[in-house]
Amino acid sequence: MLSEGLLYKDDVILTWMRDRFIQDLVLGLKPKSTNLKESLSRLNLNPYFTYPALALLEPCSTNLEEQEKVLLEEMRDYLQQQIPSQTGTIVFMDDQNRIGLLFSWVSKAELETIQTKLSRAFNLQINIAVGNPCSQLNDIKQSYKQASFALQEKFYRGVGHIFYYSELPEYLECCDYPADKEIELHEALKTADSDADIEVAVEAFYHSMLEQGPVDSKAMYEWTARLLIGTEKKLLTAANYDSAYNKLEIMPIAKMQTLQEIKQYVSHFLSGVREVLSYDQKESHRSIIKKTIHHMEQEYQALSLQSVAQKVYMTPTYLSLLFKLNTGKTFIEHLTDIRIEKAKKLLVSTHYKNYEVAEQVGYQDPRYFSQIFKKKVGLSPTEYRETVAN
């Protein structure tokens, strides 16, 4: 059996043990009988804190999904090197893959320096949420909960700030959805002469929901989804587009970090609706979609909605809406179908390896290509090749 000293020489194991210990501590899972100072010392961590507090760090980006964990681990390693050892601050990853800092309240001024260094080193804006200090380490779970709650303040204030729980405004309980304001927004949409008019109407809609003060951000996401679905049903159905436009894509909303982003998304969506409602030349619509599909068939390897929109002289928002209305599919769904059909032909007619087939049809990540292929075809690329060949 390995001795404790030998076990701790493995940096990977030691890091995992430290993270697990701190995770249990901030979640309140450690028994009260646990000798925290002794346990922290055994893990080569600072056991002494002057009014301990918890901060959570979060990079601000919409394009981190595939590399997020790697990025966070790099940030954690960077912080462990940059934070002076004499401060005794502990850097860890919580159970939601967020970077946590367990620190003494007397060192809170260092948070601004940490934020600046991280932003410069990784060229990203960084959110930091800070819970209140505790009298003893056993109570740190409360500071952790407060820091988690404080992160949502980015929704209203924007990204790249330090949010102290003690400075948060009082969040109101969720009230009823303002259906009357939705009606007013729809009426404004029908009479709008420009995108600027729509932006004003959208601003008024959200302002009406926040007149009494900020509400939980979850309610704002839910209300936005309800607004867009209501718009789809009331306006597009009234214009006899319901047979083509029968499913609204609302997933992008869930990935937005701020209310400002949501307002912009809603404004762009409604601008597209306005154009569709006012643009009643169906033959022209068919011609545009035919040209779009032609470009997709010819340029499927390296294509985007933005690039095709330029070719057919439209905004991406309008083309996306028009495409769905006329084909029943989103632009991405149709492009994926084209790429998978091309891939099936290559798998049967060539000796290309799977990753080469992926590159040929426009996928740089072979694993992602395999996932999409199996989802569409029911077989992996290898299984499909073997099945058809036999």
Side-chain angles (χ1 to χ4, degrees), residues 67-232:
Q67 302 176 337
E68 183 173 9
K69 191 165 185 182
V70 174
L71 173 66
L72 290 173
E73 289 175 350
E74 290 177 355
M75 285 185 168
R76 192 260 290 276
D77 293 342
Y78 174 82
L79 286 177
Q80 287 177 328
Q81 296 173 4
Q82 292 294 317
I83 295 178
S85 58
Q86 62 267 26
T87 66
T89 298
I90 297 175
V91 184
F92 69 99
M93 297 282 284
D94 74 356
D95 63 340
Q96 298 183 46
N97 285 324
R98 298 177 300 195
I99 297 176
L101 299 179
L102 176 56
F103 65 100
S104 292
W105 191 248
V106 293
S107 302
K108 68 174 183 176
E110 292 296 320
L111 293 176
E112 189 172 337
T113 301
I114 290 171
Q115 183 188 47
T116 300
K117 286 184 176 181
L118 268 181
S119 296
R120 290 175 178 172
F122 293 89
N123 195 30
L124 286 172
Q125 290 184 300
I126 305 294
N127 297 322
I128 300 182
V130 189
N132 291 337
C134 306
S135 58
Q136 58 183 354
L137 203 52
N138 274 318
D139 298 328
I140 198 63
K141 65 179 181 181
Q142 188 63 29
S143 185
Y144 176 71
K145 289 180 180 178
Q146 293 168 347
S148 296
F149 183 82
L151 273 177
Q152 76 168 319
E153 182 64 9
K154 68 185 178 186
F155 185 77
Y156 292 106
R157 285 181 53 193
V159 296
H161 300 287
I162 298 178
F163 310 113
Y164 285 92
Y165 178 81
S166 59
E167 298 175 359
L168 296 185
E170 182 178 355
Y171 286 84
L172 303 176
E173 293 184 7
C174 297
C175 54
D176 294 333
Y177 177 75
D180 57 329
K181 298 299 180 181
E182 179 185 310
I183 294 174
E184 291 180 13
L185 178 58
H186 289 167
E187 291 303 316
L189 175 62
K190 292 177 182 178
T191 59
D193 293 324
S194 66
D195 291 348
D197 291 341
I198 291 177
E199 290 175 6
V200 170
V202 169
E203 191 68 36
F205 174 78
Y206 282 99
H207 177 74
S208 68
M209 293 190 287
L210 300 172
E211 282 181 327
Q212 304 302 318
V215 299
D216 191 289
S217 57
K218 182 179 178 182
M220 301 300 286
Y221 286 108
E222 293 174 352
W223 286 344
T224 298
R226 182 169 174 177
L227 168 65
L228 297 180
I229 292 171
T231 300
E232 176 193 45

Side-chain angles (χ1 to χ4, degrees), residues 283-318:
E283 287 302 318
S284 177
H285 287 180
R286 293 192 188 99
S287 175
I288 291 167
I289 297 306
K290 185 176 180 179
K291 290 178 182 178
T292 299
I293 292 176
H294 173 75
H295 287 301
M296 296 171 79
E297 290 280 358
Q298 298 297 315
E299 304 167 23
Y300 60 90
Q301 291 174 310
L303 192 79
S304 68
L305 176 62
Q306 288 75 13
S307 64
V308 177
Q310 287 181 342
K311 293 178 184 294
V312 296
Y313 306 104
M314 286 190 170
T315 64
T317 300
Y318 184 24

Side-chain angles (χ1 to χ4, degrees), residues 232 241-248 324-325 328-329:
E232 176 193 45
Y241 286 120
D242 56 321
S243 61
Y245 197 88
N246 53 17
K247 187 177 75 171
L248 177 67
K324 181 69 181 289
L325 292 174
K329 294 181 181 179

